[in-house]
Amino acid sequence: MTSPADVPHLTPNQINALVVLMVEARRLTNVELRELAGFTLTGKDNTKLVDLGLVDTDRTHRPFAHELTDEGWRVARQLHTSAPPKQGGSTTRSLFVVLSNLHRSLDRLRVSHGDFFKQTDETAPATGEPPHQAPTAAAPASAAEVEALVRSAYRDLASTPGAWVGLADVRDRLADTDRAALDAALRAMVGREDVRIIPVANTKSLTARDRAAAVRIGNEDNHALAIGPA
């Protein structure tokens, strides 16, 4: 379980920035933030979020652009576990109610926040196009896309960056992902500096579910995943 101590004290504007960046799930410039939500992320608010490692800000050109880091995603998902700042008033309290219900619903549906808010390139049919065309087969996900899904699932499951998560839980989150593609992504991720995938030492503790979810790497079955600092 996440405790309020895992969520830093933030101002209402900092909270709004995290939430907008989460629901847009992409890099936003200050111009876009103003158009979407009526505020920009500058000054002390920006500095604090960057210093906490929650937001990555590109200052190489104007307008500055902002994007959530992995830690930013974790905190944004868990904002509702902390008490809303008093200076935010009823608006911030209402936002926390929405976030709490969103978290509960996505957990019940077993959908990650990253997948739920992920931007797509789908567009509406052109005028005059037949309304009931047969759907075309979806293109197989690329290795990079599958790795992104794994990282998103891990962020939702891990209590903290670097915590161990069972591959059985990861596979449950990615039930619609091709098994072979997922295994290939996990094997490739072992070469990443921030990724560790290991077997469980006490094999007697493994359930049938754990064994079925294992990925074969280096001539042995591996059952647990950690991403982040050791």
Side-chain angles (χ1 to χ4, degrees), residues 87-142:
Q87 65 269 38
S90 61
T91 300
T92 302
R93 293 177 67 86
S94 298
L95 175 61
F96 273 49
V97 172
V98 173
L99 292 174
S100 179
N101 281 276
L102 171 68
H103 182 86
R104 184 177 65 248
S105 297
L106 293 183
D107 188 61
R108 184 179 67 250
L109 295 171
R110 306 179 90 170
V111 175
S112 73
H113 288 64
D115 284 341
F116 183 75
F117 291 120
K118 180 171 61 178
Q119 295 283 335
T120 67
D121 295 328
E122 294 179 357
T123 56
T127 302
E129 183 176 331
H132 298 295
Q133 292 183 337
T136 57
S142 68

Side-chain angles (χ1 to χ4, degrees), residues 138-150 177-178 180-182 184-185:
S142 68
E145 289 171 332
V146 177
E147 178 173 338
L149 291 175
V150 172
T177 304
D178 178 73
L182 181 52

Side-chain angles (χ1 to χ4, degrees), residues 27-32 57-66:
R27 186 175 291 268
L28 293 175
T29 67
N30 277 328
V31 171
E32 290 174 306
T57 296
D58 181 3
R59 295 187 174 91
T60 59
H61 60 276
R62 290 182 180 276
F64 293 167
H66 317 280

Side-chain angles (χ1 to χ4, degrees), residues 15 41 64 103 112 114 136 146 165 179 183 185 194 221 228:
I15 289 169
L41 183 55
F64 293 167
H103 182 86
S112 73
T136 57
V146 177
V165 167
R179 170 82 184 221
D183 284 355
D194 62 334
D221 288 336

Side-chain angles (χ1 to χ4, degrees), residues 125-200:
T127 302
E129 183 176 331
H132 298 295
Q133 292 183 337
T136 57
S142 68
E145 289 171 332
V146 177
E147 178 173 338
L149 291 175
V150 172
R151 288 180 178 273
S152 177
Y154 176 84
R155 287 194 299 264
D156 283 345
L157 292 166
S159 57
T160 60
W164 290 108
V165 167
L167 287 181
D169 292 332
V170 174
R171 290 194 190 277
D172 282 350
R173 289 272 178 170
L174 304 179
D176 293 333
T177 304
D178 178 73
R179 170 82 184 221
L182 181 52
D183 284 355
L186 290 169
R187 294 187 183 103
M189 290 175 69
V190 172
R192 308 280 191 264
E193 291 185 0
D194 62 334
V195 176
R196 291 172 291 161
I197 301 177
I198 64 169
V200 170

